[in-house]
Amino acid sequence: MGDFEFPEKNEPEVNGNGDGDGNGNDGEFLAARFESHRSRLRAVAYRMLGSSAEADDAVQEAWFRLSRTDSGRVENLGGWLTTVVGRVCLDMLRSRKSRAEEPLEAATPAPAPGPDPEQDALLADSVGVALLVVLETLTPAERLAFVLHDLFAVPFEEIASIVGRTPTAARQLASRARRRVQGAPAPDVDLVRQRAVADAFLAAVREGDFDALVKVLDPDVVARSEGAVTAGAASVAAGATSFAHFAAFARHALVDGATGIALIIDGHPERTLTFTFVRDRIAVIDIVTDPERVALLDVRLV
């Protein structure tokens, strides 16, 4: 379908050049310190963004900022990096909202680091599909407050500095988000019913039937690719109908075990769409178009 696409206490100080021993290995020492926090930072970013590629981008940006900072002034490196990643993720989430009405065909995939399938599987298991789906319905500030406080025990005083609000306001953001998460419906796990919905989606795309597409999409559906995120049934349906010419190559598939569609060119998957369902409708569409990322997926035609 085209381009749908903390803190830890008592951190030792380093000097202004990032050197822990003065032996000239400044960059290596700072990089090693950063690597000791990478897995946690990526976990924070993944829960914030719901995208492995974007999580990697956020962590990489934190490294760039650290490398340009007088690290001798950083007394708690773990807390400092968590704050930076939180701010980067907040900016990325706000950017998603500002681009939500862009046509899907306008998106251009951006290069992204190759994912770590084993790590992605662990993250997906720990987050849960239901949580990722409902997080998409929160505002960026609510999402950040909930993830940092409820999942990573970051104090509201530190969250407040990231979102630019008072600690009381940050607490209210997390409380609102928590109520929505607790009341969220579980995703549909009936593969037969999912296949029926996917059939209806593919048939509507092939016929360019906008109204039929809207019927199988959740009103707050999110379609995301390497290059863009589109939200809302009308916007997603409009973008999907413009790719009817690709539908001839589309086959139903299980993509890493999830119901989806694969575009098969010369006998090989050229791109994939993976669906998350809520109440018999498609709530999230994940599109992978990058050849290297597609090659890492387990695509089984059905």
Side-chain angles (χ1 to χ4, degrees):
M1 301 293 162
D3 304 331
F4 268 47
E5 274 220 34
F6 139 81
E8 300 176 10
K9 302 301 182 183
N10 302 320
E11 283 281 353
E13 278 195 26
V14 293
N15 67 24
N17 296 318
D19 185 8
D21 53 16
N23 63 6
N25 296 322
D26 303 4
E28 292 182 8
F29 179 80
L30 189 60
R33 293 286 310 288
F34 179 81
E35 287 301 321
S36 70
H37 294 282
R38 180 184 288 276
S39 61
R40 180 181 179 83
L41 296 175
R42 192 173 188 272
V44 170
Y46 184 83
R47 287 159 174 79
M48 285 288 298
L49 301 168
S51 163
S52 296
E54 288 186 331
D56 287 332
D57 288 344
V59 173
Q60 190 67 15
E61 177 62 23
W63 164 248
F64 289 148
R65 296 189 185 188
L66 177 62
S67 65
R68 298 193 299 264
T69 298
D70 180 0
S71 54
R73 298 176 180 271
V74 180
E75 297 182 358
N76 183 339
L77 185 60
W80 187 91
L81 288 170
T82 300
T83 298
V84 170
V85 167
R87 287 172 177 162
V88 171
C89 290
L90 186 61
D91 289 342
M92 294 172 75
L93 289 171
R94 286 169 172 166
S95 177
R96 282 185 188 177
K97 295 295 183 182
S98 68
R99 293 185 285 120
E101 297 303 322
E102 289 184 2
L104 299 184
E105 62 270 25
T108 302
D116 179 340
E118 182 178 358
Q119 178 70 2
D120 291 348
L122 291 173
L123 287 172
D125 287 343
S126 64
V127 178
V129 174
L131 178 57
L132 288 178
V133 170
V134 74
L135 286 179
E136 294 287 352
T137 70
L138 305 178
T139 67
E142 288 173 342
R143 186 164 179 163
L144 182 140
F146 173 80
V147 168
L148 290 187
H149 182 266
D150 285 40
L151 302 186
F152 291 93
V154 177
F156 284 118
E157 290 75 13
E158 297 186 37
I159 296 172
S161 68
I162 299 175
V163 296
R165 305 191 186 187
T166 65
T168 299
R171 185 184 300 274
Q172 291 172 344
L173 287 171
S175 179
R176 286 202 301 268
R178 192 178 305 116
R179 288 196 297 270
R180 296 181 70 176
V181 168
Q182 292 171 346
D188 185 358
V189 293
D190 186 327
L191 292 179
V192 174
R193 189 161 60 240
Q194 289 182 1
R195 171 67 182 272
V197 177
D199 281 339
F201 174 88
L202 186 54
V205 171
R206 285 172 173 159
E207 297 168 9
D209 190 334
F210 177 86
D211 292 334
L213 273 169
V214 170
K215 288 181 180 179
V216 299
L217 297 174
D218 185 88
D220 297 318
V221 62
V222 174
R224 52 195 185 195
S225 70
E226 295 98 331
V229 175
T230 301
S235 296
V236 173
T241 56
S242 68
F243 289 96
H245 56 288
F246 280 105
F249 305 99
R251 296 279 304 278
H252 289 289
L254 291 177
V255 182
D256 284 348
T259 298
I261 292 172
L263 270 64
I264 306 300
I265 307 295
D266 295 330
H268 301 284
E270 195 256 358
R271 62 194 66 189
T272 64
L273 287 77
T274 307
F275 303 128
T276 300
F277 301 84
V278 171
R279 298 194 189 95
D280 292 334
R281 291 190 176 188
I282 297 171
V284 180
I285 306 174
D286 283 301
I287 302 97
V288 178
T289 62
D290 180 76
E292 293 184 359
R293 294 186 63 201
V294 172
L296 293 172
L297 299 174
D298 178 17
V299 180
R300 303 186 180 186
L301 301 182
V302 295

